[in-house]
Amino acid sequence: GIFQFDRARLAQCVFIGAALLAPMAHAYYGWQDTLIHASVALWISVPAKIVVDQVLYAPFYNMLFFIFTGVLRRDTPREIFGDLMPKLWRTTLSSWKVWPFVHLITYTVIPTRYKLMWVDTMEVLWITYLSLVANEAKKKETNATAAAAREQEAAAAVAAQVVSGENTEPAMEDAWKVVGV
């Protein structure tokens, strides 16, 4: 189910977060503060930071997550990049629904020294969402492979009974159950 614990997936997320995304976020928020300095009026700086974040940083961040997840899963380049754009578009739209509100708090309420800690806390939830999106296709593929294997086993059992001249009725009933008829 959705809440099944997967240690390998957790390790991948922790590695990607610690080795790549957290250092990148630290550099980005420092760069953003120098680009759009706090001395600029709040009513200008806050929307400007949110727009820069959502147009430049968020899609790049999400893309890196999907690419590195694929690399760590040992996916082929075709598997990694084949469905990257639909995932990226979906998560960008989701990002636009979540992060502007998070950053409204980030840039107005949270003291500067706690901003990164606040954002990192929110990113743990975001990475969980990205991980679910990144692993949807793999789960569907695994389920489809398992279903095909069950159908193949049922067909083989019927074929074996037909060849041996046995009564195929029980095996046929089982085969119909497997394919859902």
Side-chain angles (χ1 to χ4, degrees):
I2 193 169
F3 295 107
Q4 226 173 1
F5 185 73
D6 184 340
R7 285 187 172 96
R9 199 161 119 189
L10 175 64
Q12 289 171 355
C13 288
V14 167
F15 178 77
I16 292 168
L20 178 69
L21 299 177
M24 188 175 83
H26 181 73
Y28 166 74
Y29 287 108
W31 170 80
Q32 189 190 54
D33 280 342
T34 57
L35 179 69
I36 305 167
H37 199 269
S39 64
V40 176
L42 201 59
W43 64 273
I44 294 173
S45 67
V46 171
K49 286 181 177 185
I50 291 172
V51 167
V52 167
D53 184 79
Q54 291 304 296
V55 172
L56 300 177
Y57 179 70
F60 184 70
Y61 178 101
N62 295 345
M63 179 185 68
L64 286 179
F65 180 85
F66 292 131
I67 291 170
F68 279 88
T69 297
V71 168
L72 292 175
R73 278 193 319 226
R74 296 186 176 110
D75 290 350
T76 65
R78 175 172 275 161
E79 290 172 318
I80 293 170
F81 293 103
D83 63 344
L84 180 62
M85 290 313 291
K87 286 179 183 177
L88 195 54
W89 183 240
R90 176 179 167 192
T91 55
T92 297
L93 291 176
S94 295
S95 178
W96 293 345
K97 295 174 187 173
V98 173
W99 285 100
F101 300 104
V102 169
H103 286 318
L104 190 60
I105 295 168
T106 304
Y107 303 131
T108 58
V109 177
I110 306 295
T112 302
R113 67 178 181 263
Y114 297 122
K115 279 182 186 175
L116 196 56
M117 185 170 51
W118 159 254
V119 170
D120 283 345
T121 302
M122 297 299 104
E123 283 181 349
V124 168
L125 300 173
W126 186 250
I127 291 288
T128 302
Y129 168 69
L130 291 179
S131 180
L132 289 170
V133 172
N135 289 285
E136 278 177 344
K138 282 293 178 191
K139 187 171 185 165
K140 288 177 185 175
E141 183 180 299
T142 302
N143 291 344
T145 303
R150 285 192 304 273
E151 290 174 11
Q152 197 172 26
E153 288 172 11
V158 170
Q161 288 183 345
V162 167
V163 169
S164 69
E166 293 178 36
N167 178 7
T168 60
E169 192 173 318
M172 286 298 292
E173 289 176 13
D174 290 342
W176 286 118
K177 287 178 190 172
V178 168
V179 294
V181 177

